[in-house]
Coordinates of all heavy atoms in Angstrom, one line a residue:
S27 N 47.3 141.6 312.1 CA 47.8 140.2 312.0 C 49.1 140.1 311.6 O 49.8 139.0 311.7 CB 46.8 139.4 311.3 OG 46.9 139.7 310.0
G28 N 49.7 141.1 311.1 CA 51.1 141.1 310.3 C 51.1 140.7 308.9 O 52.1 140.6 308.4
R29 N 49.9 140.5 308.4 CA 49.8 140.1 306.9 C 50.1 141.2 306.2 O 50.4 141.1 304.8 CB 48.5 139.5 306.6 CG 48.2 138.1 307.2 CD 46.9 137.6 306.8 NE 45.9 138.3 307.6 CZ 44.8 138.8 307.2 NH1 44.5 138.7 305.8 NH2 43.9 139.5 307.8
L30 N 50.1 142.4 306.6 CA 50.1 143.7 305.8 C 51.1 144.7 306.6 O 50.9 144.7 307.9 CB 48.8 144.3 305.5 CG 48.8 145.7 304.7 CD1 49.3 145.5 303.3 CD2 47.3 146.3 304.6
R31 N 52.0 145.3 306.0 CA 52.9 146.2 306.8 C 52.7 147.5 306.2 O 52.6 147.8 305.0 CB 54.3 145.8 306.6 CG 54.6 144.5 307.2 CD 55.8 144.3 307.7 NE 56.3 143.0 308.3 CZ 56.0 142.6 309.6 NH1 55.4 143.6 310.3 NH2 56.3 141.4 309.9
L32 N 52.8 148.7 307.0 CA 52.8 149.9 306.6 C 54.2 150.5 305.9 O 55.1 150.0 306.4 CB 52.4 151.0 307.6 CG 51.0 151.0 308.3 CD1 51.0 151.9 309.4 CD2 50.1 151.4 307.2
N33 N 54.0 151.2 304.8 CA 55.2 151.7 304.2 C 55.5 153.1 304.9 O 54.7 154.0 304.7 CB 55.0 151.9 302.7 CG 56.3 152.1 302.0 OD1 57.2 152.7 302.5 ND2 56.1 152.1 300.6
S34 N 56.8 153.3 305.5 CA 57.0 154.4 306.1 C 57.4 155.5 305.2 O 57.5 156.8 305.5 CB 57.9 154.3 307.3 OG 59.0 153.9 306.8
S35 N 57.9 155.2 304.0 CA 58.3 156.2 303.1 C 57.1 157.0 302.5 O 56.0 156.5 302.3 CB 59.1 155.5 301.9 OG 58.4 154.7 301.2
P36 N 57.5 158.3 302.1 CA 56.4 159.1 301.5 C 55.8 158.4 300.1 O 56.6 157.8 299.4 CB 57.0 160.3 301.2 CG 58.4 160.3 301.8 CD 58.7 159.0 302.0
Q37 N 54.5 158.7 300.0 CA 53.8 158.2 298.8 C 53.3 159.4 298.1 O 53.0 160.4 298.6 CB 52.6 157.3 299.1 CG 53.0 156.2 299.9 CD 53.9 155.2 299.1 OE1 53.4 154.7 298.0 NE2 55.1 154.8 299.7
F38 N 53.6 159.3 296.7 CA 53.2 160.6 295.9 C 52.2 160.2 294.9 O 52.2 159.0 294.2 CB 54.4 161.1 295.2 CG 55.5 161.6 296.1 CD1 56.5 160.8 296.4 CD2 55.3 162.9 296.6 CE1 57.6 161.3 297.3 CE2 56.4 163.4 297.6 CZ 57.4 162.5 297.9
L39 N 51.0 160.9 294.9 CA 50.0 160.6 293.9 C 50.3 161.4 292.5 O 50.3 162.6 292.6 CB 48.7 161.1 294.5 CG 47.5 161.0 293.6 CD1 47.1 159.4 293.4 CD2 46.2 161.6 294.3
H40 N 50.5 160.6 291.4 CA 50.9 161.3 290.3 C 49.8 161.4 289.3 O 49.8 162.4 288.6 CB 52.0 160.4 289.6 CG 53.3 160.4 290.3 ND1 54.0 161.5 290.3 CD2 53.9 159.4 291.2 CE1 55.1 161.2 291.1 NE2 55.0 159.9 291.6
H41 N 48.9 160.6 289.4 CA 47.7 160.6 288.5 C 46.5 159.8 289.0 O 46.8 158.8 289.7 CB 48.0 160.4 287.0 CG 48.4 159.0 286.8 ND1 49.8 158.6 286.9 CD2 47.8 157.9 286.5 CE1 49.9 157.3 286.6 NE2 48.7 156.8 286.5
V42 N 45.3 160.1 288.5 CA 44.0 159.3 288.9 C 43.4 158.9 287.8 O 43.2 159.8 286.9 CB 43.2 160.2 289.8 CG1 42.0 159.4 290.1 CG2 43.9 160.5 291.2
L43 N 43.1 157.7 287.6 CA 42.4 157.1 286.5 C 41.0 156.8 286.8 O 40.8 156.2 287.7 CB 43.1 155.9 285.9 CG 44.5 156.1 285.4 CD1 45.0 154.7 284.9 CD2 44.6 157.1 284.2
L44 N 40.0 157.4 286.0 CA 38.5 157.0 286.3 C 38.2 156.3 285.0 O 38.6 156.3 283.9 CB 37.7 158.3 286.2 CG 37.9 159.3 287.4 CD1 37.2 160.5 287.3 CD2 37.6 158.6 288.8
P45 N 37.3 155.3 285.4 CA 36.7 154.5 284.2 C 35.8 155.4 283.4 O 35.4 156.5 283.9 CB 35.9 153.4 284.9 CG 35.5 154.0 286.3 CD 36.7 154.9 286.7
P46 N 35.4 155.0 282.0 CA 34.7 155.8 281.3 C 33.3 156.1 281.9 O 32.7 155.0 282.5 CB 34.4 155.0 280.0 CG 35.7 154.0 280.0 CD 36.1 153.8 281.4
L47 N 32.9 157.3 281.9 CA 31.6 157.6 282.4 C 30.5 157.8 281.5 O 31.0 158.3 280.4 CB 31.8 158.9 283.4 CG 32.7 158.8 284.6 CD1 32.9 160.1 285.1 CD2 32.2 157.9 285.6
P48 N 29.3 157.5 281.7 CA 28.2 157.7 280.8 C 28.1 159.2 280.5 O 28.4 160.1 281.3 CB 27.1 157.2 281.5 CG 27.4 156.6 282.7 CD 28.8 156.9 283.0
A49 N 27.7 159.5 279.2 CA 27.6 160.9 278.7 C 26.2 161.4 279.2 O 25.2 161.0 278.6 CB 27.9 161.0 277.3
Y50 N 26.1 162.2 280.2 CA 24.8 162.8 280.6 C 24.8 164.2 280.1 O 25.8 165.0 280.0 CB 24.7 162.8 282.1 CG 24.6 161.4 282.7 CD1 25.6 160.8 283.4 CD2 23.3 160.7 282.7 CE1 25.4 159.6 283.9 CE2 23.3 159.5 283.1 CZ 24.3 158.9 283.8 OH 24.2 157.6 284.3
D51 N 23.7 164.7 279.8 CA 23.5 166.1 279.3 C 23.5 167.1 280.6 O 22.9 166.7 281.5 CB 22.1 166.3 278.6 CG 22.0 165.5 277.4 OD1 23.1 165.4 276.8 OD2 21.0 165.0 277.0
P52 N 24.3 168.2 280.5 CA 24.2 169.1 281.5 C 23.0 169.7 281.6 O 22.2 169.7 280.6 CB 25.5 170.1 281.2 CG 26.1 169.5 280.1 CD 25.3 168.4 279.4
P53 N 22.5 170.4 282.6 CA 23.2 170.7 283.8 C 23.1 169.7 284.9 O 23.7 169.7 285.8 CB 22.6 172.1 284.3 CG 21.1 171.9 283.8 CD 21.2 171.1 282.6
D54 N 22.2 168.7 284.7 CA 22.0 167.8 285.8 C 22.7 166.4 285.7 O 22.5 165.5 286.4 CB 20.4 167.4 285.9 CG 19.6 168.7 286.2 OD1 20.1 169.5 286.8 OD2 18.5 168.8 285.6
G55 N 23.6 166.4 284.6 CA 24.3 165.1 284.4 C 25.3 164.8 285.3 O 25.6 165.5 286.3
C56 N 26.1 163.8 285.0 CA 27.2 163.2 285.7 C 28.3 164.3 285.8 O 28.8 164.7 284.6 CB 27.6 162.0 285.3 SG 28.9 161.3 286.3
R57 N 28.8 164.8 286.9 CA 29.8 165.9 286.8 C 30.9 165.5 288.0 O 30.8 166.1 289.1 CB 29.2 167.3 287.1 CG 28.2 167.7 286.1 CD 27.4 168.8 286.5 NE 28.3 169.9 286.9 CZ 28.4 171.1 286.7 NH1 27.3 171.5 285.9 NH2 29.2 172.1 287.1
P58 N 31.7 164.6 287.7 CA 32.7 164.1 288.7 C 33.8 165.2 289.0 O 34.0 166.0 288.1 CB 33.3 162.9 288.1 CG 33.2 163.2 286.7 CD 31.9 163.9 286.5

C-alpha cells in the first residue's frame, strides 16, 4: 500500500536483547 518502504542500505545487527528468562535447572531447563 506504500505505508512502509524498504530501506536499501545495509543493516547491521550489533546486539540482541532477550527479556529475563526464568531460571530452570539443567539439563532439561530453558536453554536459549
Side-chain angles (χ1 to χ4, degrees):
S27 69
R29 291 178 287 132
L30 182 66
R31 299 211 182 273
L32 288 178
N33 184 350
S34 60
S35 62
Q37 301 294 305
F38 299 97
L39 181 63
H40 295 286
H41 60 273
V42 175
L43 299 175
L44 293 175
L47 298 171
Y50 292 106
D51 293 328
D54 300 328
C56 182
R57 300 171 48 132

